[in-house]
Amino acid sequence: FILVESEGVSGRALTEYLADRGILVRFYSSERLKNFIRISVGTPSQTEPRAPVGPGVVRPRKPSANPGR
């Protein structure tokens, strides 16, 4: 699994956006994780997107200097 933090949009909104495009991820409603989604990782055929997501949805960012925070 990959835990991804969303910026500028809630995890719930991002989950709904992706689901509308056929991409299923896990959203957590707890206060600590409400801006995160969990992405499952599998084989390339299992994880290949079935529909375009759109520009600007996924943007890599540098790892945190404090990974435990």
Side-chain angles (χ1 to χ4, degrees), residues 20-42:
D20 288 345
R21 286 151 182 80
I23 299 171
L24 304 178
V25 298
R26 173 73 191 261
F27 160 72
Y28 295 95
S29 60
S30 73
E31 187 62 31
R32 187 172 184 186
L33 295 174
K34 68 181 182 180
N35 290 324
F36 288 80
I37 59 171
R38 186 187 77 187
I39 302 170
S40 296
V41 179

Side-chain angles (χ1 to χ4, degrees), residues 1-2 24 38-50:
F1 300 105
I2 300 172
L24 304 178
R38 186 187 77 187
I39 302 170
S40 296
V41 179
T43 65
S45 65
Q46 293 170 324
T47 59
E48 180 178 310
R50 302 291 182 231

Side-chain angles (χ1 to χ4, degrees), residues 5-20:
E5 182 177 15
S6 61
E7 294 180 2
V9 65
S10 71
R12 180 182 300 277
L14 181 56
T15 297
E16 291 171 3
Y17 175 87
L18 293 171
D20 288 345

